[in-house]
Amino acid sequence: MMIFFIVGLIVHVVFFLSIFDIYFTSPLVHGMTPQRVPLAPPAKRLVLFVADGLRADSLFKPDDNGTGRAPYLRSVIEESGTWGVSHTRVPTESRPGHVALIAGFYEDVSAVAKGWKENPVEFDSVFNESRHTWCWGSPDILPMFAKGATGDHVYTYTYPPEREDFASTDASRLDTWVFDEVKDFLNVAKSNETLLNMLHEEQNVFFLHLLGIDTNGHAHRPMSKEYIENIGLVDSGVAEFVSVMDDFYGHDGKTAYIFTSDHGMTNWGSHGAGHPSETLTPLVAWGAGVQTAQREGSHKYDDNYLKEWGLETSMRVDVNQADIAPLMSSLIGVPFPVNSVGVLPLNYLNNSQHFKAESIYANAIQILEQFRVKMAQKKETTISFLFTLYQPLTDSKQMDFMRNARNLIQKGQFDEAVSIRYCEDLIVQAMEGLSYYHTYDRLFLGSSVVLGFIGWTSYVVLFILKTHISGLLMFLCIGLLVALFLMVQSSPWTYYIYCLLPVPVWFSVMREFETLASLVRSVPSLPLSKCFGYFLLVTFGIELLVVSFFYRAMLTLGLVVLALWPLVSGLYTKAKVRSLSWMLSCLFLAVFPLLPVVGREPDVNYVILFVCICFQMMQVVLCAYILTSTHSSLQLKQGLPLFNQLVSWLTLVSSFLIPLLSSTRLFHRLLSILMSLVCVYLLLSTGYEALFPPVLSWLMFAWINIEQETMNTQGSSNRTEVFFIIIAFFGCGNIASINSFDPASVYCFLTVFNPFIMGGLLMWKVLIPFVIVMCTFESIQVSTQLSSRSLFLVVLVISDLMALHFFFLVKDHGSWLDIGTSISHYVIVMSMTIFLMLLSVMTHILTSKRILIGRKRKMHFR
């Protein structure tokens, strides 16, 4: 069984990782020639302001009294600049947003493994192409652009990480620090000749990262007084800095300014998914080379935002977030970042038609270069007769595009406008070609993984019935042929794993051929109507679980059906009390999916047992006090009390130890586990979800009793494990969405931003109901004396069938919310299968092991 466990774990880890190789590999290629506009740029220097976490409506929408929240930027929009909405993509986090702004491409999910702080792959950026870049702001963002730059021309100035405290009395001081440091820097430069000369060179960039708005949004919500006042502080800081810059450079009119945000924020103070409040960010540009304010009578946008924001007469120019990188490159005359997929927004440029035509031409060639490299790489690693060209952009068509566009630019004014449209068409074709070659092997790899899924599931089903047959030589030959095919194509090592995994899996299936044949022979003797009924019931159950990922209310339907089970099976007449407890607990638990989403020994030492229970009851009361006290302190802006923080961490650690001190009798041990986990869950709660574990535990005790009664009367088991696992995941919310968690959940433990610790605490909050179900599952295996292997394999088969279903639902196109949700659903189901294997060991320890005090025997609970 141990070998089966290890092999199964490896197989599911491979399946788990497969979607990232099939759907979400890095889009970056290297070896392109940098492209730049051959004409003199309009600006010598550029200032980029990024107000982290600023929503578009929070900046543009006037207050209730009609006054603007950012009067300086409002005056720029109405008088001297161009504005619009910058549309971000999922995940709406700080690192991916800044990479899109400054490097011009949308980062792949491999950055998640490094918390979006380090560089999973090296990439080019506007900062890298600049002559000098000076940056001020957060230590989480700035270092990645300095580390990725060639040379030492990117200079960063950051405050200590400890200042990023959600419990800070005034998070806007982070922005005040940035503005003060920049002004001091310019004052020092006046007496430093070397620095002064550097500052007066062309193609310089100043980057001001303003984190205060994001921090206040997390701590107090975007509708709070603190968030709104921070916007006003940033606006006045920008106005003052522009004045200082103009004075420093003698009002030469050669400075371009861009003000934007990396992402927005939900009303409950989180971000990461694709809600409009997260993806709609402001963009305001003014200064050298930027189009001045334009009036517009008719509008091409039908979202009613212009009326809501009071900007009906101002021309709005929306962009995709990655389009800002080529805009900055064009303004100061540096090469476009070689990995950029942004399209230059020409409506932001105040320049000649010739300059616009040359700029969009360079932009088109830069994207076409990526297409060429991508095509060459794929051609080198594919057998020639199997390689299929992207027909809209063959080599001859590329040359025709480039030649015709260049000729149109050289002819003059009217033909330059035609050339612009020509280049924009070329960009569209090149982008589609990039996608074509990026997904070239998707069908091949997807088919291999599906074969592996089907083979593994078939083997698990037959493994329960167990017999053998040999065909090793044939499968070795198949494996060698597959490996040779991949070797000829110079395929990556991960391709070998995905394509060779089905071979041993299907070999294992064929070893069970006799079992399969006997099953086929017995089909005529089976009651077909009954078998068909069971098949429909299982199919309905699996589909109900799948649909519950999208509609939590389906879990309520499932619980109501389960509540009726004692009546349908006849158990109610034989065990009324147990059946009634089961029915009531199911109905009580059925309420939670309808609520809104939030963020044994025979010689027992009764003295020790009584002390443990009393201690845990006192601990629950203490945790309730700590939770109330912490949130009260944060509301008063007094920070996280040290005593509360110590108690919270001690409670977390002790939750793993205290159950091991209690008796291993079934009721006593499960009660101890429940109370320990409830304490931790309570500290991580922000609302009604604190009631979920107690109600779930009530149902688990009823489940144990009803299983025992079923075994006594019917000799069979009620297979509801997977349904309860899904209930544990989705009972209080949809964890498939990155932004469904409230950061306030971890405030009892820490308030200083740390993505790994915060993420770990939130993940443990998700797993606590899961552990309760698994501990109950372990208890049922022992108390009913059922085969643990059979029960486990049934759960495994159902989970794998769900995972295969979600594998076909994974998307990398359409709305970014749908893409993120499809990934999350597959990851959750695969993680659930892997956790089943790992947590079964953990729950076995929790339910059966004991730390002995004095002379006590260690026994498994009964």
Side-chain angles (χ1 to χ4, degrees):
M1 186 65 179
M2 181 56 66
I3 296 176
F4 177 86
F5 178 89
I6 295 172
V7 171
L9 185 63
I10 293 172
V11 167
H12 284 88
V13 168
V14 171
F15 290 159
F16 175 81
L17 297 175
S18 66
I19 66 160
F20 298 105
D21 248 332
I22 296 173
Y23 292 95
F24 304 103
T25 52
S26 174
L28 300 188
V29 290
H30 301 283
M32 291 79 68
T33 303
Q35 303 293 320
R36 66 191 306 165
V37 181
L39 304 176
K44 290 183 178 180
R45 66 201 70 90
L46 180 135
V47 180
L48 174 63
F49 303 96
V50 176
D52 203 305
L54 177 59
R55 295 160 44 147
D57 61 342
S58 297
L59 179 70
F60 296 138
K61 186 178 179 180
D63 289 330
D64 294 336
N65 57 11
T67 59
R69 296 168 178 172
Y72 175 76
L73 290 172
R74 187 82 173 193
S75 68
V76 169
I77 292 172
E78 295 175 347
E79 299 169 12
S80 58
T82 301
W83 74 284
V85 173
S86 171
H87 296 265
T88 69
R89 289 192 180 184
V90 171
T92 45
E93 300 286 348
S94 289
R95 180 194 160 105
H98 281 87
V99 169
L101 285 169
I102 300 165
F105 73 91
Y106 301 103
E107 196 163 35
D108 62 286
V109 292
S110 63
V112 175
K114 297 193 175 183
W116 285 304
K117 288 187 177 183
E118 301 294 336
N119 291 4
V121 290
E122 296 302 323
F123 57 84
D124 192 18
S125 70
V126 175
F127 294 175
N128 185 49
E129 297 292 352
S130 68
R131 192 177 304 276
H132 302 287
T133 294
W134 289 274
C135 312
W136 294 267
S138 168
D140 297 328
I141 298 298
L142 305 190
M144 68 178 174
F145 292 104
K147 184 180 293 187
T150 56
D152 56 354
H153 64 285
V154 178
Y155 312 97
T156 60
Y157 304 89
T158 64
Y159 39 74
E162 293 76 22
R163 292 201 177 193
E164 299 179 13
D165 190 346
F166 294 129
S168 169
T169 55
D170 184 13
S172 63
R173 65 181 182 174
L174 299 176
D175 301 338
T176 303
W177 183 94
V178 171
F179 289 122
D180 290 343
E181 287 292 314
V182 178
K183 287 183 288 186
D184 291 343
F185 173 79
L186 293 178
N187 287 330
V188 170
K190 294 176 181 178
S191 57
N192 185 327
E193 185 176 353
T194 302
L195 180 57
L196 189 64
N197 291 334
M198 292 170 60
L199 287 169
H200 279 84
E201 293 180 14
E202 297 181 356
Q203 300 178 344
N204 285 339
V205 176
F206 300 84
F207 173 41
L208 281 67
H209 177 242
L210 307 167
L211 186 63
I213 293 175
D214 183 73
T215 306
N216 271 319
H218 285 306
H220 306 290
R221 308 297 181 263
M223 305 304 174
S224 66
K225 177 173 68 85
E226 290 82 359
Y227 186 89
I228 301 301
E229 288 180 350
N230 204 151
I231 294 174
L233 182 144
V234 166
D235 180 71
S236 60
V238 170
E240 184 180 0
F241 178 70
V242 170
S243 177
V244 170
M245 284 288 286
D246 288 345
D247 291 341
F248 185 85
Y249 286 104
H251 297 270
D252 64 354
K254 290 295 183 181
T255 306
Y257 299 93
I258 291 179
F259 180 93
T260 187
S261 175
D262 54 347
H263 57 75
M265 187 172 289
T266 61
N267 290 341
W268 55 92
S270 64
H271 53 82
H275 190 272
S277 62
E278 300 166 89
T279 60
L280 301 183
T281 59
L283 174 61
V284 184
W286 70 100
V290 179
Q291 185 66 262
T292 56
Q294 302 291 308
R295 296 289 176 259
E296 189 173 52
S298 59
H299 304 284
K300 59 181 178 181
Y301 305 103
D302 55 0
D303 49 23
N304 295 322
Y305 286 136
L306 288 172
K307 184 177 181 180
E308 181 182 340
W309 298 339
L311 293 168
E312 298 97 326
T313 59
S314 298
M315 187 175 75
R316 169 182 160 190
V317 182
D318 285 9
V319 301
N320 291 321
Q321 194 172 49
D323 299 342
I324 296 174
L327 173 62
M328 293 190 291
S329 297
S330 177
L331 287 172
I332 58 174
V334 299
F336 295 105
V338 294
N339 300 117
S340 171
V341 294
V343 180
L344 178 64
L346 297 176
N347 288 334
Y348 276 82
L349 297 179
N350 182 18
N351 217 312
S352 65
Q353 194 77 352
H354 181 56
F355 182 87
K356 293 181 179 181
E358 288 284 4
S359 298
I360 196 67
Y361 177 78
N363 190 187
I365 299 302
Q366 170 259 323
I367 295 177
L368 186 62
E369 282 283 313
Q370 296 182 70
F371 168 80
R372 288 174 168 174
V373 172
K374 194 79 172 179
M375 181 179 69
Q377 288 179 352
K378 185 53 59 182
K379 195 171 184 179
E380 288 176 4
T381 58
T382 306
I383 300 174
S384 57
F385 68 86
L386 294 178
F387 181 74
T388 306
L389 282 170
Y390 178 65
Q391 293 303 319
L393 271 183
T394 59
D395 290 341
S396 60
K397 290 181 180 179
Q398 293 176 41
M399 295 303 296
D400 290 341
F401 264 119
M402 295 166 59
R403 183 170 52 252
N404 292 338
R406 173 51 61 192
N407 290 337
L408 289 168
I409 291 174
Q410 292 173 349
K411 285 183 179 180
Q413 189 75 17
F414 173 76
D415 292 317
E416 284 166 353
V418 177
S419 174
I420 289 172
R421 291 195 295 271
Y422 208 75
C423 290
E424 289 172 343
D425 291 340
L426 174 57
I427 289 174
V428 172
Q429 292 289 348
M431 296 287 285
E432 291 178 355
L434 274 171
S435 176
Y436 172 80
Y437 287 118
H438 188 62
T439 60
Y440 195 84
D441 293 326
R442 180 167 299 175
L443 178 62
F444 172 60
L445 292 178
S447 301
S448 298
V449 171
V450 169
L451 280 174
F453 255 120
I454 297 173
W456 170 257
T457 305
S458 303
Y459 173 64
V460 171
V461 172
L462 296 174
F463 185 80
I464 302 173
L465 306 173
K466 194 86 175 158
T467 35
H468 301 285
I469 190 171
S470 178
L472 179 61
L473 185 60
M474 178 182 70
F475 281 92
L476 281 176
C477 293
I478 294 173
L480 288 173
L481 287 174
V482 172
L484 182 63
F485 173 76
L486 295 173
M487 190 180 301
V488 170
Q489 296 203 123
S490 302
S491 299
W493 64 270
T494 52
Y495 283 34
Y496 288 83
I497 297 176
Y498 303 140
C499 296
L500 290 176
L501 182 63
V503 176
V505 169
W506 278 102
F507 170 68
S508 300
V509 172
M510 295 309 296
R511 289 176 61 190
E512 310 295 337
F513 181 78
E514 291 182 7
T515 302
L516 184 62
S518 65
L519 286 176
V520 173
R521 287 194 297 269
S522 64
V523 168
S525 61
L526 295 174
L528 294 182
S529 59
K530 191 173 183 180
C531 291
F532 184 69
Y534 278 123
F535 173 76
L536 288 180
L537 184 62
V538 171
T539 303
F540 172 77
I542 292 176
E543 290 302 311
L544 178 68
L545 295 176
V546 171
V547 174
S548 68
F549 276 64
F550 302 94
Y551 306 101
R552 292 172 55 223
M554 298 304 295
L555 297 175
T556 298
L557 175 62
L559 285 167
V560 171
V561 172
L562 285 177
L564 299 176
W565 173 57
L567 298 175
V568 175
S569 63
L571 278 176
Y572 183 77
T573 57
K574 301 175 182 177
K576 290 186 177 181
V577 175
R578 291 182 176 184
S579 298
L580 190 61
S581 176
W582 165 269
M583 295 166 67
L584 287 175
S585 57
C586 283
L587 293 176
F588 269 97
L589 195 65
V591 174
F592 285 89
L594 297 177
L595 295 175
V597 173
V598 205
R600 80 191 71 134
E601 302 178 33
D603 53 341
V604 177
N605 188 325
Y606 289 101
V607 175
I608 295 177
L609 174 63
F610 178 75
V611 170
C612 286
I613 293 176
C614 289
F615 174 77
Q616 289 183 297
M617 292 177 66
M618 292 173 60
Q619 194 177 27
V620 172
V621 175
L622 177 61
C623 288
Y625 166 76
I626 292 295
L627 181 67
T628 305
S629 171
T630 298
H631 286 279
S632 175
S633 178
L634 294 180
Q635 286 180 350
L636 296 174
K637 298 185 179 179
Q638 296 175 350
L640 172 60
L642 180 61
F643 173 76
N644 293 14
Q645 189 174 24
L646 288 174
V647 170
S648 299
W649 284 106
L650 286 174
T651 301
L652 176 64
V653 174
S654 65
S655 66
F656 298 99
L657 299 176
I658 290 179
L660 299 179
L661 295 172
S662 65
S663 167
T664 52
R665 284 184 177 274
L666 175 61
F667 177 80
H668 298 151
R669 177 53 62 92
L670 286 183
L671 181 62
S672 180
I673 293 172
L674 160 67
M675 295 182 73
S676 294
L677 295 178
V678 163
C679 288
V680 179
Y681 201 90
L682 182 61
L683 292 172
L684 292 168
S685 298
T686 60
Y688 73 84
E689 79 268 25
L691 299 174
F692 181 70
V695 177
L696 177 65
S697 299
W698 177 22
L699 177 58
M700 294 299 99
F701 280 114
W703 183 25
I704 294 173
N705 288 325
I706 209 76
E707 285 286 357
Q708 291 174 336
E709 190 66 34
T710 303
M711 287 297 298
N712 292 336
T713 59
Q714 299 180 3
S716 61
S717 174
N718 174 28
R719 302 299 171 83
T720 56
E721 301 90 353
V722 177
F723 183 78
F724 288 141
I725 290 170
I726 301 299
I727 282 284
F729 265 118
F730 290 99
C732 285
N734 182 1
I735 72 163
S737 175
I738 298 173
N739 74 345
S740 63
F741 295 112
D742 189 342
S745 297
V746 301
Y747 284 175
C748 289
F749 294 87
L750 77 166
T751 55
V752 177
F753 178 69
N754 188 311
F756 289 107
I757 295 179
M758 288 180 167
L761 289 170
L762 290 171
M763 184 54 67
W764 182 236
K765 179 181 179 181
V766 170
L767 290 179
I768 283 175
F770 198 178
V771 173
I772 292 174
V773 173
M774 288 299 294
C775 286
T776 308
F777 186 40
E778 175 78 12
S779 304
I780 288 173
Q781 291 181 30
V782 176
S783 62
T784 60
Q785 298 181 344
L786 290 172
S787 168
S788 61
R789 187 179 72 177
S790 298
L791 287 172
F792 182 77
L793 292 180
V794 169
V795 175
L796 202 61
V797 169
I798 296 174
S799 301
D800 285 341
L801 290 174
M802 290 174 62
L804 183 61
H805 191 130
F806 282 114
F807 180 82
F808 288 110
L809 296 179
V810 173
K811 299 178 181 179
D812 68 340
H813 60 278
S815 81
W816 283 91
L817 178 59
D818 292 342
I819 293 172
T821 302
S822 70
I823 301 171
S824 300
H825 285 165
Y826 179 78
V827 168
I828 287 170
V829 177
M830 289 306 302
S831 299
M832 183 177 71
T833 307
I834 295 171
F835 284 147
L836 277 174
M837 297 179 175
L838 298 178
L839 285 183
S840 63
V841 177
M842 175 184 172
T843 54
H844 177 74
I845 295 173
L846 278 176
T847 54
S848 63
K849 305 300 179 185
R850 185 180 181 190
I851 298 175
L852 296 177
I853 299 177
R855 263 184 6 145
K856 289 290 174 185
R857 293 183 297 116
K858 181 166 65 178
M859 298 177 59
H860 202 288
F861 67 83
R862 307 192 276 279

